[in-house]
């Protein structure tokens, strides 16, 4: 691979981007902001802001998309695109309006208000892990290592960018995330539109590309077995328990804004998927099939085909795509760890202050995690497979009566399901001969965890006659 050809103009664009982030997030009197404004922008987010922040936040794993599309072709859409459209639409239909009408400021608080404080505090643990910023810290480290010619370990760069994000998030809160996301969605679409146009000019149109790539690249399943494909559909249930979805639905100016905003976001995700997937396939066609680091296909392709100025613009777009998710997940991690989990340990500390300190802790833990799992796809897979089974039914039960559990069954469902998935993952890791092959007895760890959750739900399901008691859970805990 040719060495990165970056000029002063390209570097200037990157510097301007970071300066603009600071400008957009600078806020005076940051100590005086009330908690609802700090966490949810006062629940006044407009439709445009809602769409901008949801689209950009949900697409932070951009290098993972490049890695998968470079190696597998259009099956990327079936594995990493379509399942999330389906469950995002279901989220909009079933949950978005209810979440907006709920008074809780966070997902663990909603669980705690409904099932009791103990359940709420415990749910904060898997939710904290679920919104780990680790995948996005990893990607930023790899990009900056490439930008600097490979000098230094990527962890140094990852740490520096993560701490930069921490700095503006803890000052501006959710408003800072929203303001930067409105810039970053424009950069995302602009950068990848340029990349795919120049890739087409370099190699040829989509027809020529389609006839050039291997047959398995044009196979929608990519040659994967049904169990592997289904597990990604199940992992797409992540949408239902993802705090970023809940946070944005709660922050919307109305239930209608939340619902409509998600459907518009699905349309924009599908357009962006086209740009990113075919950019990855063009990377295969132009760069060849033997990249040592497939995860870096977008940076390598941009270096190969883009002219001065546009090359810098594309790298800004790449950084913006990742940064939009990193700052959101850092903030959510800090909020979950501080406000929802540690508040009982430090009762005299202000919630906003505790959230700010915990945001820094979340960044440091994310840096440690990428040392263990230095792959974006594997980070998504491991975190999703273990945490989602334990959260899915309890969280859905807060808003949908069909899934409501009796209070005493909530903790066993969360602990049992997560424990089974984690044990299955460990057994698969120990017994597997291949790297990052987590199946045990030929079964992915997500399935036994979900089966455990369903079994416990069957035994612990709240009967229709008792559903009116659900609002008493929070009252009982408050009296305690």
């Amino acid at each position: 691979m040719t060495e990165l050809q970056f000029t002063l103009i390209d570097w200037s664009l990157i510097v301007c981007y970071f300066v603009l982030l600071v400008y957009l997030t600078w806020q005076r009197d940051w100590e005086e902001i009330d908690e609802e404004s700090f966490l949810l922008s006062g629940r006044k987010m407009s439709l445009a802001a809602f769409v901008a922040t949801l689209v950009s936040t949900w697409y932070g794993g951009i290098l993972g998309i490049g890695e998968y599309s470079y190696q597998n072709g259009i099956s990327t859409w079936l594995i990493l695109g379509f399942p999330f459209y389906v469950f995002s639409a279901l989220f909009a239909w079933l949950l978005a309006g209810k979440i907006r009408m709920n008074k809780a400021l966070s997902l663990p608080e909603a669980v705690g208000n409904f099932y009791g404080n103990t359940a709420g505090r415990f749910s904060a643990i898997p939710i904290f892990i679920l919104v780990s910023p680790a995948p996005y810290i990893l990607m930023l480290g790899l990009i900056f290592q490439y930008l600097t010619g490979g000098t230094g370990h990527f962890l140094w760069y990852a740490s520096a960018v993560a701490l930069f994000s921490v700095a503006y998030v803890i000052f501006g809160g959710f408003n800072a995330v929203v303001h930067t996301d409105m810039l970053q969605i424009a950069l995302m679409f602009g950068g990848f539109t340029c990349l795919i146009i120049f890739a087409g000019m370099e190699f040829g149109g989509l027809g020529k590309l389609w006839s050039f790539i291997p047959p398995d690249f044009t196979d929608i399943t990519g040659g994967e077995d049904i169990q592997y494909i289904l597990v990604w559909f199940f992992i797409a249930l992540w949408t239902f328990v993802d705090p970023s979805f809940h946070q944005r639905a709660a922050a919307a100016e109305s239930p209608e804004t939340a619902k409509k905003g998600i459907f518009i976001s699905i349309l924009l995700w599908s357009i962006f998927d086209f740009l990113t997937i075919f950019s990855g396939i063009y990377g295969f066609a132009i760069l060849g099939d033997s990249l040592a680091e497939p995860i870096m296909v977008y940076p390598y392709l941009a270096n190969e085909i883009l002219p001065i100025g546009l090359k810098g613009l594309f790298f800004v777009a790449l950084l913006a795509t990742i940064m939009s998710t990193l700052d959101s997940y850092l903030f959510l991690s800090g909020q979950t760890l501080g406000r929802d989990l540690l508040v009982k340990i430090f009762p005299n500390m202000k919630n906003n202050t505790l959230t700010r300190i915990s945001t820094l802790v979340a960044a440091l833990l994310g840096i440690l995690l990428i040392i263990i799992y230095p792959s974006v796809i594997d980070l998504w897979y491991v975190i999703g497979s273990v945490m989602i089974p334990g959260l899915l039914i309890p969280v859905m039960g807060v808003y949908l009566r069909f899934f409501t559990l009796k209070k005493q069954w909530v903790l066993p469902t969360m602990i049992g399901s997560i424990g089974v998935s984690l044990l299955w993952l460990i057994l698969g890791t120990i017994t597997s001969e291949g790297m990052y092959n987590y199946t045990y007895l030929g079964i992915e760890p997500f399935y036994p965890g979900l089966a455990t959750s369903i079994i416990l739900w069957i035994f612990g399901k709240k009967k229709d006659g008792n559903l009116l008691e659900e609002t008493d859970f929070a009252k009982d805990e408050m009296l305690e």
Side-chain angles (χ1 to χ4, degrees), residues 378-394:
D378 282 299
L379 281 167
W380 286 341
Y381 181 93
V382 169
I383 292 172
S385 293
V386 174
M387 299 302 159
I388 293 172
L391 287 169
L392 186 62
I393 288 177

Side-chain angles (χ1 to χ4, degrees), residues 109-169:
E109 183 180 338
V111 173
N113 288 347
F114 193 76
Y115 288 119
N117 288 338
T118 302
R121 284 195 297 272
F122 181 84
S123 72
I125 299 172
I127 288 171
F128 172 70
I129 297 171
L130 200 65
V131 292
S132 169
Y136 315 102
I137 295 173
L138 170 62
M139 286 183 280
L140 288 168
L142 292 173
I143 290 174
F144 273 97
Q145 185 182 43
Y146 180 57
L147 285 172
T148 56
T151 57
H153 197 280
F154 81 93
L155 271 175
W156 291 109
Y157 302 109
S159 302
V161 181
L163 294 176
F164 172 83
S165 295
V166 168
Y168 71 74
V169 166

Side-chain angles (χ1 to χ4, degrees), residues 292-338:
E293 296 178 296
I295 195 172
M296 296 294 288
V297 63
Y298 293 144
Y300 291 165
L301 181 62
N303 182 50
E304 191 78 14
I305 66 174
L306 292 182
I308 294 172
L310 284 180
K311 186 180 297 185
L313 179 63
F314 176 77
F315 275 90
V316 168
L318 206 55
L319 293 171
T321 307
I322 303 168
M323 291 284 287
S324 63
T325 306
L326 173 62
D327 56 26
S328 180
Y329 274 29
L330 275 173
F331 184 59
L332 284 166
S333 293
Q335 174 185 331
T336 305
L337 178 62

Side-chain angles (χ1 to χ4, degrees), residues 252-270:
E253 61 187 0
S254 68
E256 292 71 26
T257 296
K259 292 178 183 178
K260 185 185 296 184
I262 293 173
F263 285 112
I264 295 172
S265 297
I266 293 170
L267 174 62
L268 293 178
W269 284 324
S270 65

Side-chain angles (χ1 to χ4, degrees), residues 55 184-194 267-273 275 317 321:
V55 169
Q184 290 173 152
I185 188 174
L187 293 171
M188 286 166 54
F189 278 85
F192 273 91
T193 299
C194 285
L267 174 62
L268 293 178
W269 284 324
S270 65
I271 296 170
F272 198 63
D273 276 335
L275 296 173
T321 307

Side-chain angles (χ1 to χ4, degrees), residues 41 44 79 87 91 120 137 142 168 187 222 233 243 379 383 440 474:
S41 293
K44 298 176 182 178
I79 300 295
F87 290 110
F91 183 96
I137 295 173
L142 292 173
Y168 71 74
L187 293 171
F233 272 79
L379 281 167
I383 292 172
Y440 179 63

